[in-house]
Amino acid sequence: MNPQDLPLFHPDMSIEEIGEEGNRYIGTVWKSLYDSMHEELTKAFLEIEDAAYALYLNQLMPPLFNRLMETGFEVIAPVEEDDFVIGQCLIFRNSLEKWGSEENRSRIFWNVIHRKGTLPLGTLLTEIPHSHLKFDIPETPKLYTLRESIKDRILHGIRHIKDK
């Protein structure tokens, strides 16, 4: 990955600006990473099914989350004993998968974002389109943002975005 591809965050960014910069980063790197891992993850999918997508996200998402943390943002909720964390900061219990066909399913993770020691800025939503039939990410993963930080309101916001 080229250093200029990495996301650039600054401490006074709004949640919307964080989402825009995160989408720039993902749009720049997702496909080349996907192509470079496709053969390996196609084989992995035969054995571990959907967990193959976690292997992909473990490569795609850490640069984004690391840059946010380096800039002074808190990006992950407290991890519980039984949590499954992928991509460094995506907690599986903080996700929904309800939309799309088996060939193009959509899972959305949420991360409430704080400046260190302050009230939340809002929530960063990470949408991962994927197939349940074979290893395939049929379109660019995408970030959305919400000004909400309470779970019920986050869920309502996700449904509003996806059910349009």
Side-chain angles (χ1 to χ4, degrees):
M1 184 178 316
N2 296 323
Q4 67 268 18
D5 294 340
L6 292 171
L8 298 171
F9 299 112
H10 53 84
D12 59 341
M13 289 178 105
S14 68
I15 191 69
E16 294 83 6
E17 291 169 324
I18 290 170
E20 288 172 15
E21 180 59 14
N23 276 323
R24 183 204 59 80
Y25 158 73
I26 289 171
T28 301
V29 303
W30 87 274
K31 185 71 167 116
S32 61
L33 179 63
Y34 174 82
D35 290 343
S36 73
M37 297 181 76
H38 191 266
E39 184 177 336
E40 164 195 351
L41 295 178
T42 297
K43 290 176 186 171
F45 186 86
L46 297 174
E47 293 180 33
I48 61 174
E49 298 180 352
D50 275 9
Y53 296 107
L55 299 175
Y56 175 77
L57 292 171
N58 286 342
Q59 298 299 311
L60 179 67
M61 298 307 291
L64 184 141
F65 290 128
N66 285 335
R67 287 292 180 112
L68 280 169
M69 291 184 285
E70 289 166 4
T71 306
F73 293 100
E74 296 172 355
V75 299
I76 188 168
V79 177
E80 298 174 6
E81 186 177 332
D82 294 337
D83 277 337
F84 181 54
V85 179
I86 59 176
Q88 186 176 340
C89 294
L90 301 172
I91 300 174
F92 202 74
R93 71 176 151 86
N94 290 347
S95 73
L96 284 178
E97 180 181 273
K98 300 180 55 163
W99 303 275
S101 66
E102 289 299 296
E103 295 88 19
N104 189 355
R105 209 61 186 148
S106 180
R107 177 170 295 279
I108 296 182
F109 293 88
W110 66 86
N111 294 77
V112 176
I113 308 295
H114 297 77
R115 285 190 184 89
K116 285 206 168 135
T118 67
L119 295 173
L121 287 177
T123 300
L124 192 63
L125 306 175
T126 304
E127 180 177 30
I128 308 301
H130 62 285
S131 172
H132 284 185
L133 304 178
K134 62 181 181 177
F135 183 79
D136 184 38
I137 300 174
E139 52 192 278
T140 308
K142 184 173 181 177
L143 301 178
Y144 298 94
T145 59
L146 298 172
R147 291 269 173 160
E148 306 295 344
S149 60
I150 297 168
K151 183 177 179 178
D152 289 345
R153 292 180 181 166
I154 294 168
L155 295 173
H156 177 77
I158 291 170
R159 287 183 185 102
H160 178 74
I161 288 167
K162 291 306 295 178
D163 295 337
K164 285 185 189 181

